[in-house]
Amino acid sequence: MTKVIKVNEEIKEKMIDFYKDKLREKIPPYAIFQAKDGDTVITMYTSGKVMFQGNNADIDANMWGAMGSEINSIQKEIDSEFAKDEIDFNSVPTIGSDEVGTGDYFGPIVVASAYVSSKNIPFLINLGVRDSKNLRDDAILKIVPKMIKKIPYEATILSNKEYNNRHSVDVNMNKIKAVMHNKVLNKMVYDNKFEYDYIVVDQFASEKLYFKYLKDVNVVVKDIVFLTKAENKCLSVACASMISRYIFLKEFDKLSDKIKTNLPKGAGEMIDKIGKKLIEEYGEEILENIAKLNFKNTIRIKEED
Ligand code: MN
């Protein structure tokens, strides 16, 4: 949970004094201090905005907010929008994650998370890392093997069969994504001891929904910054995006080889044509192993011409 309040000079000084023994060594850009109190991370920015992150963020935020409310009526929850605008995620060490395959009828879903240290930022810029959606597949296949020599990452693949088993009325695509992101982030955060300033996820659902999807999951990575088009704003997300795409392409090739058909990507008309051919050759059961059955393509493919 992230909560943001604005404080006046008086409260600012009180807070600086209150948290002086709980300061973190590193201070994020534009911040006066960052402290950790219990489960809550408190970041005070020069603008007078204070961000509280963690399970009980609202309790801490409300305490300070109430204290200042007589003189300062500006207290609002703004879904950490301000932080997203003020932080240059490309200039600090981050863990980022992104997924691929969710718009493709054929092939698995892949989620990857990558870590970019300050030291590796110039390396990635030299490598020409940017939004993988703008990079052609042949460029991805060339760049990623070089990238992963230096960039640590974790990835998880959800096969079509597993996807089709999991996908039901109450397990939707976004919940599947949230569980997969959380899985790779757990490995990045708890199995490794990376030094990072932020965890950034390419946003596919609101922060509230994301954590709601994970309510039955044992260990949930918190303190995430959700950014739209994050692959353009944060190098670790750009890496995660390209690595997941790379893995997806490899898996896609394996599938194509297995059924001796060049499977098309996406979910357009071409898909239906190929799908029809495939069930003629292998029977309807083939789709379960190579496609996401809940897509509308399935109905069209199974339709008699
Ligand atoms: Mn994405």
Side-chain angles (χ1 to χ4, degrees), residues 99-301:
E99 80 284 326
V100 73
T102 54
D104 299 286
Y105 182 61
F106 295 121
I109 294 174
V110 182
V111 176
S113 178
Y115 168 63
V116 175
S117 64
S118 303
K119 203 184 79 207
N120 276 331
I121 292 172
F123 161 69
L124 290 171
I125 289 168
N126 282 336
L127 208 56
V129 171
R130 51 197 170 102
D131 176 15
S132 76
K133 282 183 185 108
N134 298 333
L135 280 180
R136 290 163 44 114
D137 287 347
D138 50 345
I140 298 267
L141 292 171
K142 248 190 215 161
I143 296 174
V144 171
K146 289 181 197 157
M147 177 193 286
I148 58 179
K149 280 186 185 153
K150 288 197 177 186
I151 304 297
Y153 73 95
E154 293 284 350
T156 180
I157 303 171
L158 188 71
S159 72
N160 291 99
K161 197 159 191 150
E162 290 169 300
Y163 174 86
N164 292 323
N165 284 338
R166 232 185 261 187
H167 200 286
S168 66
V169 182
D170 51 29
V171 182
N172 63 27
M173 176 74 91
N174 277 351
K175 182 167 178 176
I176 290 172
K177 283 196 231 177
V179 170
M180 291 175 79
H181 275 274
N182 184 60
K183 189 176 164 185
V184 290
L185 287 176
N186 257 300
K187 287 188 186 160
M188 293 301 284
V189 172
Y190 297 116
D191 296 356
N192 297 285
K193 292 277 169 277
F194 298 131
E195 272 198 28
Y196 63 89
D197 283 3
Y198 301 98
I199 301 171
V200 181
V201 169
D202 187 35
Q203 184 156 24
F204 55 89
S206 70
E207 180 171 350
K208 232 185 193 160
L209 264 179
Y210 176 88
F211 288 114
K212 203 177 147 196
Y213 291 136
L214 296 175
K215 68 180 192 308
D216 301 323
V217 175
N218 276 339
V219 188
V220 175
V221 173
K222 303 275 173 68
D223 295 341
I224 295 172
V225 179
F226 295 91
L227 288 181
T228 54
K229 298 205 172 73
E231 62 273 27
N232 297 332
K233 301 168 188 165
C234 178
L235 279 171
S236 61
V237 179
C239 290
S241 170
M242 293 174 65
I243 293 167
S244 54
R245 181 82 187 162
Y246 180 87
I247 296 170
F248 177 83
L249 291 172
K250 294 283 178 192
E251 292 295 314
F252 206 84
D253 282 351
K254 276 191 229 163
L255 272 188
S256 290
D257 284 350
K258 219 182 258 177
I259 55 168
K260 298 180 184 69
T261 307
N262 248 332
L263 291 172
K265 301 190 183 80
E269 250 174 65
M270 188 60 186
I271 299 289
D272 300 350
K273 252 190 215 164
I274 300 277
K276 278 178 191 285
K277 262 191 206 159
L278 285 171
I279 58 174
E280 257 172 46
E281 207 176 328
Y282 297 99
E284 282 188 5
E285 307 78 51
I286 186 71
L287 293 179
E288 202 193 314
N289 296 310
I290 60 170
K292 301 180 187 81
L293 292 180
N294 69 303
F295 280 37
K296 293 210 171 65
N297 302 76
T298 305
I299 301 168
R300 294 198 296 265
I301 288 169

Side-chain angles (χ1 to χ4, degrees), residues 61-77:
N62 287 342
M63 182 183 88
W64 289 108
M67 205 178 288
S69 62
E70 294 152 38
I71 7 180
N72 169 29
S73 59
I74 317 163
Q75 181 208 336
K76 51 181 176 178
E77 199 173 335

